[in-house]
Amino acid sequence: MKTYGKNKDLNSQIKILKMIIMKSDKLRKILEILDKNFDYDYYVAAGAINQTVFNYYHGFELDNAIDDVDIVYFDSDLSYEKEDKIIKRLSFLLKDINIKLDIKNQARVHLWYKNKYKRSVRKNDSVEVAISRWGSTITCIGVKISKGKFKVFAPYGLNDLFKMVIRPVKENFTKEDYDKKCLKWKKKWPLLTIIPWDNN
């Protein structure tokens, strides 16, 4: 399928991304519910966004191989209890949508990351800073609907997404992480082009 979003201007790419994302019933419903019910600075981000585009250009069902939907937000309250309360609230709001949710306060990531991944990361000052540090340029994309308007945060642009190019962002990732992720993705979406870690 022709990837007609590549090399377009950013405004055109955002319109194409919106068209693709809003074709997904699950993502559209999540975005619409969050717009009406969630007041934090947030995005629906990462895999559910880029993989929906991969599926569209491969001619697959739009939710093919999407394991979960990342909802990331920023709250200066760093307590586990507050984050847990928000996770439970959003899980209840979105309970009728049949997909796993991964809901995280990006202000808290530095508190648990070392325990989970055996290395430290810098504290995030905003949800946008957090997104910009994820492992590849096409992962560093968040979307939301705010007061009915579709908005995109994409610090590395959208051209890699529409070219289906995986390019590393080395802030919080290792070569091992990156190579493992690329191998997994390439098996699911064979039209992807992988930029090797050492070539970037």
Side-chain angles (χ1 to χ4, degrees), residues 42-94:
Y42 78 93
Y43 291 91
V44 175
I49 304 305
N50 60 57
Q51 292 165 21
T52 298
V53 174
F54 296 165
N55 284 329
Y56 182 80
Y57 286 127
H58 279 75
F60 301 157
E61 294 291 327
L62 289 183
D63 59 358
N64 168 68
I66 297 176
D67 297 325
D68 59 26
V69 173
D70 292 286
I71 300 172
V72 294
Y73 69 97
F74 193 87
D75 180 5
S76 57
D77 184 337
L78 300 184
S79 68
Y80 167 82
E81 291 76 15
K82 179 67 179 298
E83 183 178 39
D84 188 55
K85 183 178 179 181
I86 289 176
I87 289 169
K88 287 175 179 174
R89 177 177 169 238
L90 293 186
S91 297
F92 177 77
L93 282 171
L94 301 169

Side-chain angles (χ1 to χ4, degrees), residues 17-37 42 44-45 48-49 52 62-63 66 69-71 93-94 96-99 101 143-146 148-151:
L17 179 60
K18 177 183 177 183
M19 179 271 295
I20 295 171
I21 295 301
M22 298 306 274
K23 282 179 179 289
S24 165
D25 287 340
K26 291 178 181 178
L27 288 180
R28 177 177 49 77
K29 288 175 184 175
I30 290 170
L31 290 167
E32 290 174 349
I33 290 169
L34 290 176
D35 180 28
K36 294 175 182 175
N37 296 280
Y42 78 93
V44 175
I49 304 305
T52 298
L62 289 183
D63 59 358
I66 297 176
V69 173
D70 292 286
I71 300 172
L93 282 171
L94 301 169
D96 293 332
I97 300 169
N98 185 30
I99 195 162
L101 303 173
V143 307
K144 63 183 173 182
I145 296 177
S146 180
K149 184 175 181 181
F150 186 83
K151 295 189 175 182

